[in-house]
């Protein structure tokens, strides 16, 4: 009867909130810097792990940081060698920084992207959006669809460049997600790391009153663009992007990235009194005070689980793999773990069979999970013993 009852699956979840033990940890002496920004985030580009946030999920105006979404969409959906013909809407943009586009101007999409991402030209983003989607509003829809795809839960775009609009907002954490995604694109990463570039207007379409000879004599207009990101000229090790943003409502904003060794970090700074200092302080903190921590070694014993009808009454559960993450040193002593075990299994049990998970948390937030597996085979008892039992 007992054997028959065990066929019914009963969820057995054992939750242990215990500090991890038995491992050397960095000394907890590295506190995060104080930043003047109203909102900020420090994220690992590869893992997406957040090392620091201040009002990270509070909605704010992004100003020209919007152009990161415009740029990565254009790179993914367009051809850099496409010639874009400027329409009236783009030519009419006169607020903020621009490159003086006129109706009928023709430029390579690549040059318009450089103007948007390096020089933060507002007219270029409208021209980009109209070229990619056919019109500005459809491109904005693409921006919002991409935001949802990336998991940017607190973001809504209303334009391509960051002009004030009540339905145009994002957060520091969402911008870190977007930028980490965009930086994995080599073309985007190259543009935002470029200090200066020359863009060229292509010959205009010949009108009826113009002769081919007149068109050929007309010199091509060019413009030298300087990147607005002053950190590219700083001596901070590994700085490689990405974008500035400034409006009266948004304040001084900046997203900065740097790579040291195998790690690339991105710092988002919104509405700051000193965006350059805030960004470098956060990046320095990330590289110096965020260290690798081993949460579990491969085959480390984590728990035990009862086994029904086995020659052994329990099976030892071990970590399926080594689990190592980067963590601020001041958080190491705050690590907790939650062990979740599957329902009692019936023998036979095979070594390596998944029978649970262990999740690690800091201040209630999950930071990593690893599977728990059986560390040995456990055979089923004979039919005679099962009958006797």
């Amino acid at each position: 009867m007992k054997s028959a009852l065990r066929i019914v699956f009963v969820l057995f979840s054992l939750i242990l909130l215990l500090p991890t033990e038995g491992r050397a940890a960095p000394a907890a002496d590295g506190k995060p810097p104080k930043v003047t920004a109203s909102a900020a985030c420090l994220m690992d580009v590869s893992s997406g792990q957040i090392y620091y946030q201040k009002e990270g999920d509070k909605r704010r105006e992004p100003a020209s940081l919007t152009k990161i979404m415009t740029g990565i969409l254009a790179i993914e959906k367009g051809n850099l060698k496409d010639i874009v013909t400027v329409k009236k809407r783009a030519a009419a943009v006169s607020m903020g920084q621009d490159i003086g586009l006129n109706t009928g101007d023709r430029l390579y999409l690549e040059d318009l992207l450089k103007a948007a991402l390096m020089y933060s030209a507002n007219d270029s983003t409208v021209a980009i959006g109209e070229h990619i989607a056919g019109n500005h509003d459809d491109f904005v829809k693409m921006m919002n669809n991409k935001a949802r795809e990336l998991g940017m839960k607190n973001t809504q775009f209303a334009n391509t460049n960051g002009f004030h609009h009540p339905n145009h907002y994002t957060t520091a954490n969402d911008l870190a997600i977007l930028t980490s995604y965009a930086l994995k694109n080599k073309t985007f990463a190259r543009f935002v790391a470029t200090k200066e570039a020359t863009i060229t207007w292509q010959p205009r379409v010949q009108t009826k009153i113009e002769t081919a000879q007149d068109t050929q004599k007309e010199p091509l207009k060019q413009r030298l663009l300087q990147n607005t990101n002053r950190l590219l000229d700083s001596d901070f090790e590994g700085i490689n992007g990405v974008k500035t943003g400034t409006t009266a409502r948004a304040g001084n904003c900046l997203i900065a990235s740097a790579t040291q060794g195998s790690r690339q970090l991105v710092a988002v700074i919104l509405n700051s009194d000193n965006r350059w200092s805030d960004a470098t302080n956060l990046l320095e903190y990330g590289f110096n005070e965020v260290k690798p921590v081993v949460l579990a070694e491969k085959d480390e014993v984590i728990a035990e689980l009862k086994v029904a009808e086995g020659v052994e009454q329990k099976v030892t559960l071990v970590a399926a793999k080594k689990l190592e993450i980067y963590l601020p040193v001041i958080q190491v002593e705050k690590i907790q773990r939650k062990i979740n075990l599957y329902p009692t299994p019936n023998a036979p049990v095979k070594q390596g069979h998944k029978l649970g998970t262990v999740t690690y948390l800091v201040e209630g937030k999950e930071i990593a999970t690893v599977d728990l597996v059986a560390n040995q085979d456990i055979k089923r008892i004979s039919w005679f013993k099962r009958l006797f039992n």
Side-chain angles (χ1 to χ4, degrees), residues 97 117-120 226-231 243-244 276:
Q97 193 144 284
L117 294 173
M118 295 173 53
Y119 187 66
S120 203
Q226 301 285 344
N227 200 311
T228 60
N229 184 0
R230 284 168 32 191
L231 290 186
K243 186 77 187 71
T244 60
W276 317 109

Side-chain angles (χ1 to χ4, degrees), residues 6 12-13 55 83 93 101 106 113 123 182 222 242 252 302 329 336-338 349 368 379:
R6 288 190 179 110
F12 177 60
S13 180
E55 299 286 359
I83 293 182
V93 174
L101 293 177
R106 302 170 74 242
L113 280 166
D123 50 358
Q222 291 188 321
V242 289
N252 291 323
I302 303 293
V329 293
Q336 296 176 308
R337 71 183 187 187
K338 179 174 68 175
V349 172
K379 297 180 180 180

Side-chain angles (χ1 to χ4, degrees), residues 106-163:
R106 302 170 74 242
L107 295 90
Y108 284 119
L109 177 60
E110 179 175 3
D111 282 347
L112 288 173
L113 280 166
K114 290 175 181 177
L117 294 173
M118 295 173 53
Y119 187 66
S120 203
N122 293 315
D123 50 358
S124 67
T125 66
V126 178
I128 289 169
E130 290 183 317
H131 174 74
I132 297 296
N135 64 75
H136 175 273
D137 292 344
D138 282 347
F139 186 80
V140 172
K141 291 179 182 177
M142 293 172 61
M143 295 170 68
N144 287 317
N145 288 337
K146 188 68 174 183
R148 287 190 287 272
E149 177 187 322
L150 294 177
M152 300 168 65
K153 298 179 180 179
N154 295 297
T155 295
Q156 178 72 30
F157 295 112
N159 54 62
T160 60
N161 43 33
F163 286 161

